[in-house]
Amino acid sequence: MISKKETKTYVNNTIKLMKKEYGFNSKSGILFKMVEQYFLSINISVSGFDTPKISVKAYIKPSIIDDLFWDVFNMEDNKSQPPSLKAVGAFKFDPLRFYDSSIYIEEGDQVLPYIDSEIKIIIDIANDIASKCKTLEEFYSYSKNVLNSGFYDINLMYMLTKIHNSEYSAARRIAEEKIVSHEKGRFAQGNKYIYDYVVEYCLEKEKE
């Protein structure tokens, strides 16, 4: 029976191989790459006690959505930072989790085939999403049907989509409605939350 520590070593070595095999970059153990206009990231983790468990979770978002997020959140400087910020940054648009799989490991030689197989599936799904969702609106519509989507904020996705289309009043209205119902989004600077920033940003744009 393989230990949790040994499993982590196998996983780390496999991640290095996957980077070369499929053209990924990595930061803090997160694999990431562009798939057409989308930013794909994969988190491979090890948990469990008696029997180690490997979990593979995949996330996707339109690459442009982070730039819109940073514009609204007064973090424009982040747009010039390395792409890894889109994967591991504390202040980034939370991507849509579209794949979640796990397996209990008993032998080290199970690790590489399992992760390789999962990554092939993930890349196929990501390519399918990219081919079907050519606009932010199409991605937003697609995301409405994804269950267990992680921290992905579908309301913020809607707001940023409207902002991208210069429909500032529509974005502001949904933000104001959410704030009235005590929803503010999970990002904050001081006492001001992301939906508050959306309202302020849109009000300024409406004046132009």
Side-chain angles (χ1 to χ4, degrees):
M1 180 75 69
I2 191 172
S3 69
K4 183 178 178 181
K5 183 178 180 180
E6 290 171 323
T7 303
K8 286 184 176 180
T9 299
Y10 274 101
V11 167
N12 289 336
N13 290 336
T14 300
I15 286 174
K16 293 176 183 176
L17 292 173
M18 296 300 100
K19 286 176 61 177
K20 295 179 181 179
E21 180 70 21
Y22 297 106
F24 282 95
N25 293 300
S26 70
K27 181 76 172 181
S28 302
I30 305 294
L31 293 168
F32 62 91
K33 66 181 292 187
M34 290 294 297
V35 177
E36 294 187 29
Q37 72 273 32
Y38 285 89
F39 187 84
L40 169 67
S41 56
I42 302 174
N43 182 19
I44 304 171
S45 60
V46 180
S47 60
F49 295 97
D50 295 333
T51 305
K53 182 172 76 169
I54 297 177
S55 297
V56 179
K57 296 180 173 66
Y59 305 81
I60 198 166
K61 59 184 170 182
S63 183
I64 194 176
I65 208 71
D66 282 302
D67 289 349
L68 294 167
F69 175 84
W70 291 324
D71 281 340
V72 170
F73 210 38
N74 290 339
M75 290 186 167
E76 293 91 344
D77 289 348
N78 283 351
K79 293 158 68 173
S80 62
Q81 296 301 309
S84 59
L85 193 67
K86 294 173 180 283
V88 301
F91 292 99
K92 65 183 184 305
F93 184 86
D94 290 317
L96 176 74
R97 184 173 67 197
F98 67 94
Y99 191 83
D100 189 346
S101 176
S102 62
I103 187 174
Y104 285 99
I105 296 293
E106 295 184 354
E107 302 294 338
D109 59 8
Q110 293 177 265
V111 176
L112 176 57
Y114 170 67
I115 292 177
D116 184 57
S117 174
E118 295 303 289
I119 287 181
K120 286 177 180 175
I121 293 170
I122 287 166
I123 291 174
D124 283 345
I125 297 173
N127 280 323
D128 188 57
I129 293 171
S131 68
K132 291 179 178 178
C133 302
K134 296 296 187 182
T135 65
L136 295 183
E137 291 88 349
E138 288 172 340
F139 180 77
Y140 168 75
S141 296
Y142 168 83
S143 71
K144 289 193 290 187
N145 298 314
V146 177
L147 302 176
N148 302 316
S149 56
F151 287 115
Y152 173 77
D153 186 342
I154 194 167
N155 295 313
L156 185 57
M157 180 69 207
Y158 176 88
M159 297 173 206
L160 295 178
T161 297
K162 292 300 180 182
I163 287 171
H164 179 259
N165 294 337
S166 300
E167 298 177 48
Y168 302 114
S169 61
R172 175 175 54 81
R173 282 196 299 271
I174 189 67
E176 290 171 338
E177 289 172 6
K178 294 301 176 182
I179 291 169
V180 168
S181 62
H182 306 290
E183 297 178 50
K184 297 184 177 182
R186 82 179 193 91
F187 294 101
Q189 296 188 74
N191 295 321
K192 192 190 300 184
Y193 285 79
I194 183 61
Y195 294 0
D196 299 314
Y197 279 91
V198 169
V199 172
E200 288 188 2
Y201 182 87
C202 291
L203 284 171
E204 287 299 316
K205 287 295 184 180
E206 287 174 61
K207 294 177 184 176
E208 295 178 0

